[in-house]
Amino acid sequence: MKMMKGDSVKEMKKKPAVEVEIQIGGRAPGSSPIAEELNELEMEDEDTYATMAPKGTFTSRGLDPLVKNTNKLLVLFGQDPSYPKVMDTDQLPTDFTRILSMFVAAVDDAVDEGILNPEMKIDLSQIRDDAGLMSLSGKIEMLAKDREFKRFLQEDQKEEQAPEMEEEMAMSPEEEDAMLMERL
C-alpha cells in the first residue's frame, strides 16, 4: 500500500490490506485434486505428530538445553541446525516432535544393530516435565558425541544415496544415445 501525502501511520493501519490471488494455468494454487490430497495428508501427518507430542509442564529450564542439543544432533542427520527457542508450553510443537521422532527411529535402528546400548532408547510418551526433557537432552547430547552412532548415520545416508545413483546410471543404450544427442 502506497502512502500518500497527508496520510498518517495511524490512518494507514486503518486501511484494509489488499489481497491478491495468483492463478496459474487458470487455476488458483491449491485448487487441484492433487493439492487437496496433499493438504489432507499433511493434516493427517500433523495430527499424528500432535498426538505423539509430549504433554506436560515444560519451561525454559528443560526446553533450552533440549533445543540446543537437538540442533547439535540435527547436523549428523544433514539437517539445518537452527531450530528456534521453544517458549514455555504444555505440549511440544509438532514440528519439534517430528524431529524427535526421527531421532527415535535412528536410535531404535542403532540399538537393533547393536551399535547403541538399549538404555539409549527414547520413549517420548514418558516425557511429562522438565526432568524428562533434561533426561532426553542428555541422551541427545551423548548421541551427538557418540562416534559409533555418527558412523552408523553416515553409512545409512550412503545406503540411501546408493540406489539413487544406481537408478541414474542404469540406462538402456537407447537412453544413453538420446542423452548424448541432447547434449550435442
Side-chain angles (χ1 to χ4, degrees):
M1 187 179 298
K2 190 174 181 183
M3 198 166 180
M4 304 298 253
K5 188 175 182 179
D7 285 347
S8 69
V9 174
K10 215 178 226 183
E11 289 172 350
M12 290 294 293
K13 289 182 182 177
K14 289 180 185 176
K15 292 182 181 179
V18 177
E19 288 188 32
V20 177
E21 185 176 305
I22 299 172
Q23 294 201 359
I24 301 169
R27 241 187 224 171
S31 65
S32 73
I34 293 173
E36 289 173 15
E37 187 176 333
L38 284 174
N39 284 338
E40 279 183 38
L41 291 172
E42 286 177 6
M43 298 275 280
E44 287 176 21
D45 192 49
E46 190 76 16
D47 289 344
T48 299
Y49 287 105
T51 302
M52 64 189 317
K55 295 161 189 68
T57 304
F58 307 122
T59 67
S60 62
R61 182 174 159 252
L63 290 165
D64 290 350
L66 178 60
V67 170
K68 177 183 168 194
N69 288 321
T70 294
N71 282 330
K72 287 179 184 175
L73 190 55
L74 277 172
V75 173
L76 300 182
F77 285 83
Q79 303 291 319
D80 182 25
S82 61
Y83 195 87
K85 181 178 179 176
V86 176
M87 303 309 288
D88 293 0
T89 185
D90 60 353
Q91 180 176 341
L92 293 184
T94 54
D95 56 334
F96 193 70
T97 303
R98 182 178 283 113
I99 292 169
L100 295 177
S101 297
M102 177 177 64
F103 295 168
V104 168
V107 168
D108 286 349
D109 290 347
V111 167
D112 290 346
E113 292 194 25
I115 306 295
L116 292 175
N117 187 320
E119 292 175 4
M120 290 301 291
K121 279 197 170 224
I122 298 170
D123 185 359
L124 297 179
S125 68
Q126 299 301 311
I127 299 170
R128 295 186 182 90
D129 54 20
D130 285 342
L133 292 179
M134 288 187 279
S135 174
L136 175 58
S137 177
K139 283 184 179 182
I140 290 174
E141 183 177 31
M142 289 170 53
L143 291 168
K145 294 177 181 178
D146 189 297
R147 290 180 188 198
E148 292 298 315
F149 187 63
K150 286 180 187 179
R151 207 171 293 129
F152 171 77
L153 291 175
Q154 289 170 343
E155 289 172 8
D156 196 39
Q157 288 173 356
K158 286 178 187 174
E159 287 175 15
E160 288 177 11
Q161 291 173 352
E164 292 173 13
M165 292 176 69
E166 288 174 14
E167 288 175 16
E168 289 175 12
M169 298 179 104
M171 282 193 232
S172 69
E174 295 82 22
E175 291 172 327
E176 286 179 23
D177 290 341
M179 184 180 73
L180 290 173
M181 293 303 287
E182 285 177 13
R183 289 184 182 171
L184 295 176

